[in-house]
Amino acid sequence: MPTVGFIYPDHAAEDDYPLAERMLGDGARLPVEHIYGTDLHAVAELLDLGSPARLAEGAALLAKYEPSAVVWACTSGSFVYGWDGAEEQVAKLSAAAGGLPASSTSFAFVRAANALSLRSVAVAASYPDDVAKLFVEFLGRGGIEVLSMSAADIDTAAEVGELAPEQVVELIVSRDHPDADALLVPDTAMRTLALIDMIEERIGKPVLTANQVTVWEGLRLTGATREAPGLGTLFRTKGA
């Protein structure tokens, strides 16, 4: 089974990754190492958080696990660079990791949406409005139409990580759009893995969340995507 290394900013919802290991149940290893900066959802701070130097530090910390791929487990710290800048960010991360396949949560959302043939979505963002709009622009570059976007205006990742499960569910469910093919929930600081199936049942459509798509993308990089119960439509769809 593969080992996929994840670079996670600060601390908030990183326990979703050992939970994913248990839910996959096949021996895949998903080690997490942390880099540190401000956790403010603001453009300048996010650009610093996702800088090449910080990600190179994360890649060095992951080396002891001998991963087959590495992923920058941060949505806002990748899409804030724009599409071209995020591609350069991933290329530099790959180089820092000795040429390993690399990606980020922002690209994971686009690839997961494409794998499910989603074309129009709603976005339930925890960020302030100006940051959330950058995610909408990023999705547009990936060919995904956003029918509606709501921003919860939560300033820091730490605050997002403190949300109770019922608050997470309400934040997501209340922001669906009836005509959207799916609902996207950026922010790896939000604990969602244990809630995805319940939320999908509530709204009757696929839900893609940041930690879910990040794990899926890491497995995709190693050629190890497969069906797994409890992790939403994305992990129940053959060929996804």
Side-chain angles (χ1 to χ4, degrees):
M1 286 295 106
T3 296
V4 181
F6 298 92
I7 302 170
Y8 192 94
D10 294 284
H11 296 275
E14 64 267 31
D15 46 354
D16 264 358
Y17 293 83
L19 175 59
E21 280 190 358
R22 296 192 296 272
M23 294 174 80
L24 289 168
D26 58 4
R29 297 175 65 225
L30 309 176
V32 175
E33 288 289 349
H34 299 267
I35 59 172
Y36 297 94
T38 177
D39 71 343
L40 190 64
H41 290 145
V43 172
E45 285 77 6
L46 292 168
L47 289 170
D48 176 71
L49 187 64
S51 67
R54 291 192 188 277
L55 295 191
E57 178 187 351
L61 292 170
L62 286 170
K64 61 180 175 286
Y65 303 104
E66 299 182 349
S68 299
V70 295
V71 184
W72 170 219
C74 183
T75 326
S76 55
S78 46
F79 69 66
V80 73
Y81 281 82
W83 187 274
D84 295 339
E87 285 187 328
E88 182 179 358
Q89 181 187 59
V90 166
K92 289 181 176 179
L93 173 57
S94 174
L100 291 176
S103 189
S104 68
T105 304
S106 292
F107 286 120
F109 270 110
V110 172
R111 290 174 183 138
N114 288 337
L116 295 179
S117 299
L118 306 176
R119 291 295 170 261
S120 62
V121 302
V123 171
S126 57
Y127 316 123
D129 189 70
D130 62 329
V131 174
K133 285 177 178 175
L134 296 177
F135 183 54
V136 172
E137 292 175 11
F138 191 93
L139 293 174
R141 278 291 304 272
I144 300 165
E145 180 186 8
V146 177
L147 297 182
S148 66
M149 183 277 289
S150 58
D153 202 29
I154 301 175
D155 287 330
T156 68
E159 292 173 276
V160 175
E162 292 171 356
L163 294 173
E166 58 271 21
Q167 292 175 299
V168 171
V169 171
E170 180 57 28
L171 186 153
I172 295 171
V173 170
S174 65
R175 288 159 168 80
D176 185 27
H177 187 287
D179 297 327
D181 296 332
L183 182 57
L184 274 53
V185 189
D187 202 345
T188 57
M190 189 182 296
R191 290 180 180 85
T192 59
L193 288 196
L195 305 172
I196 295 171
D197 275 6
M198 178 178 63
I199 296 170
E200 288 192 339
E201 186 174 349
R202 284 269 302 270
I203 67 174
K205 65 183 63 173
V207 173
L208 299 180
T209 75
N211 288 324
Q212 173 210 36
V213 300
T214 302
V215 170
W216 177 87
E217 175 75 342
L219 296 173
R220 186 194 69 81
L221 290 174
T222 68
T225 55
R226 65 268 198 200
E227 296 179 65
L231 290 169
T233 300
L234 181 63
F235 279 86
R236 291 196 301 270
T237 304
K238 291 183 179 180

